[in-house]
Amino acid sequence: MSLDSYVTLGRSGLRISPLTLGTMTFGNDYGWGAGPEESEKILATYLDRGGNSIDTANVYTNGHSEKIIGDYLAGRSSLRDRLVLGTKFFCNLHPNDPNGGGPSRKAIVQQLENSLRRLRTDYIDIYWLHNFDPVTPVEETLRTLDDLVSAGKIRYVGFSDVPAWATAEAATIARLRGWAPIIALQLQYSLLERTSEGELIPMAQSLGMGVLPWSPLHGGMLSGKYSSANPTTTDTARTWAAAPTEAELVVIDAVNALAEEVGATPAQTALAWAQGQPGITSTLIGARRIDQFENNLGALDVHLTEAQRAALNELSAPKLNFPAENNRQLARMLQFAGATVDGSPSAAYPPLVENDTRY
Ligand SMILES: NC(=O)c1ccc[n+]([C@@H]2O[C@H](COP(=O)([O-])OP(=O)(O)OC[C@H]3O[C@@H](n4cnc5c(N)ncnc54)[C@H](OP(=O)(O)O)[C@@H]3O)[C@@H](O)[C@H]2O)c1
């Protein structure tokens, strides 16, 4: 696979690379990112290899991430239109201004204008609601986004980190009203955080939304610099991050071992796992340094067999919220659809109730 093996995003005609460049690390303003020069190297490497999908947010390094991208694009005017540039609104960059962030009409329009200015562009390809606000009526948010599509200021709408029930409600309203649909979700998803498999990913598959997993290395834990033999590392700028737990180290050790078996790095193995999971469209890759980024791009060359994937899946299986497990257990009841109690059940399935003499 390569960065120019473009895939359509959700139920839309928008084509993006199988790995999206995450730029939360652009700007070293907080001491754990990449300075402008290193960020530009990462951008150039991604684009040279055929990548077309870039993700940022108004809040990343307080707008600096957007500015680094905007400055890079400004000198390369022919580049902008071939990119799928995404940014997010929600987080308030204006202390003491109650309308400085959030998903109200006033706040969205203002946040968009500021992002356009920093990114030095006239439009955003994917405008993401970054988080969930239970207060603002979802119709207000959706109608505003639809107006912005009509005005040519944004092309598509995405949701990030919003509960499944609220996303499904919003998607249904948008569809019934003929407003711009939600074509994609950003979700935290990795071998160490799989609970999105309960509600969010099945919803995305059912409603035609692509999924972009974020923190696919769990903030670096799956990059190979941790193991049960070495549960701490000095090679990280994420000094606030918690050390892996015992349970996480079991999964981390398995990834490290599989990486050796397949001749890849642990980071590549963990990213290839994420990208190959059901429902996933394009994995967000983040890096603090160009060498990390190049390592991560190598995930495109890693193919896990079904058996290797199944082993990782079993080891990292999450405990999902009700009713996921209940319904998995009861899924075999489907075999009876259309039959009567007198019908003969498939030999492949055991009786639902042990020793039930009817069968
Ligand atoms: N929608 C949302 O709410 C949301 C939330 C978070 C992120 N995102 C998006 O997702 C992107 C990726 O998230 P993330 O940065 O958390 O991803 P991640 O891949 O889980 O973590 C990236 C961090 O891991 C370390 N790392 C990465 N590759 C490495 C390698 N090959 N070897 C060693 N260490 C490596 C680096 O940190 P150190 O070297 O300092 O350890 C790097 O900053 C972001 O850039 C952003 O675009 C979205």
Side-chain angles (χ1 to χ4, degrees):
M1 214 199 298
S2 57
L3 284 178
D4 58 6
S5 320
Y6 305 112
V7 280
T8 48
L9 183 58
R11 199 182 290 145
S12 84
L14 184 67
R15 287 164 169 81
I16 65 169
S17 294
L19 299 179
T20 289
L21 170 56
T23 66
M24 194 172 73
T25 41
F26 278 21
N28 194 20
D29 308 56
Y30 308 129
W32 54 271
E37 212 176 303
E38 193 78 355
S39 303
E40 290 204 358
K41 277 190 208 161
I42 293 174
L43 262 171
T45 302
Y46 179 74
L47 298 170
D48 282 353
R49 298 266 299 264
N52 80 337
S53 175
I54 297 178
D55 179 66
T56 183
N58 64 341
V59 70
Y60 292 168
T61 44
N62 260 328
H64 196 183
S65 169
E66 287 185 330
K67 184 168 184 323
I68 290 171
I69 298 166
D71 290 348
Y72 185 88
L73 294 181
R76 299 163 177 85
S77 53
S78 58
L79 188 58
R80 168 63 190 99
D81 285 339
R82 85 162 187 83
L83 293 182
V84 176
L85 185 54
T87 192
K88 312 184 191 80
F89 64 94
F90 187 87
C91 295
N92 193 339
L93 303 187
H94 306 279
N96 305 322
D97 177 359
N99 294 304
S104 73
R105 178 175 282 270
K106 177 173 169 64
I108 293 174
V109 172
Q110 201 160 308
Q111 289 169 97
L112 177 65
E113 292 301 338
N114 284 325
S115 286
L116 291 174
R117 178 176 49 77
R118 285 188 291 263
L119 286 163
R120 298 167 78 168
T121 183
D122 297 331
Y123 68 97
I124 300 300
D125 293 289
I126 310 175
Y127 204 34
W128 299 88
L129 168 64
H130 205 157
N131 221 295
F132 178 51
D133 173 19
V135 174
T136 307
V138 72
E139 289 86 350
E140 178 176 339
T141 304
L142 292 170
R143 177 62 201 267
T144 304
L145 292 170
D146 188 64
D147 285 348
L148 292 172
V149 170
S150 299
K153 299 232 176 190
I154 68 173
R155 300 283 186 259
Y156 295 92
V157 173
F159 270 30
S160 163
D161 310 346
V162 177
W165 62 267
T167 308
E169 183 193 18
T172 307
I173 292 171
R175 183 182 291 190
L176 293 176
R177 298 263 184 205
W179 292 340
I182 301 160
I183 63 160
L185 305 180
Q186 283 198 25
L187 307 173
Q188 185 177 7
Y189 189 58
S190 72
L191 274 159
L192 294 177
E193 176 47 77
R194 290 178 52 197
T195 54
S196 290
E197 290 176 18
E199 299 272 357
L200 286 156
I201 293 176
M203 175 198 66
Q205 289 176 298
S206 173
L207 299 185
M209 298 165 184
V211 175
L212 276 63
W214 57 261
S215 287
L217 298 178
H218 208 63
M221 272 192 200
L222 292 159
S223 66
K225 50 193 176 191
Y226 297 88
S227 67
S228 51
N230 288 300
T232 58
T233 182
T234 50
D235 181 25
T236 182
R238 299 188 173 213
T239 44
W240 74 92
T245 63
E246 296 274 311
E248 286 170 337
L249 284 167
V250 171
V251 177
I252 289 169
D253 283 349
V255 171
N256 293 346
L258 179 60
E260 215 165 307
E261 186 184 322
V262 301
T265 65
Q268 292 164 357
T269 307
L271 293 170
W273 173 88
Q275 183 55 23
Q277 284 294 99
I280 303 304
T281 311
S282 177
T283 301
L284 283 152
I285 50 170
R288 173 171 59 94
R289 292 192 310 252
I290 183 71
D291 62 292
Q292 294 178 340
F293 187 67
E294 281 173 347
N295 178 350
N296 297 352
L297 285 183
L300 292 163
D301 301 321
V302 177
H303 174 75
L304 302 181
T305 64
E306 265 182 44
Q308 288 164 339
R309 182 172 291 282
L312 283 183
N313 281 348
E314 195 181 328
L315 199 68
S316 63
K319 169 129 182 54
L320 299 176
N321 282 346
F322 178 85
E325 182 54 24
N326 180 70
N327 291 357
R328 195 181 70 82
Q329 293 287 344
L330 292 185
R332 9 176 229 175
M333 297 227 12
L334 279 175
Q335 72 183 285
F336 295 108
T340 71
V341 288
D342 303 320
S344 38
S346 158
Y349 295 92
L352 288 174
V353 182
E354 246 175 4
N355 304 323
D356 187 332
T357 50
R358 283 180 302 166
Y359 306 111

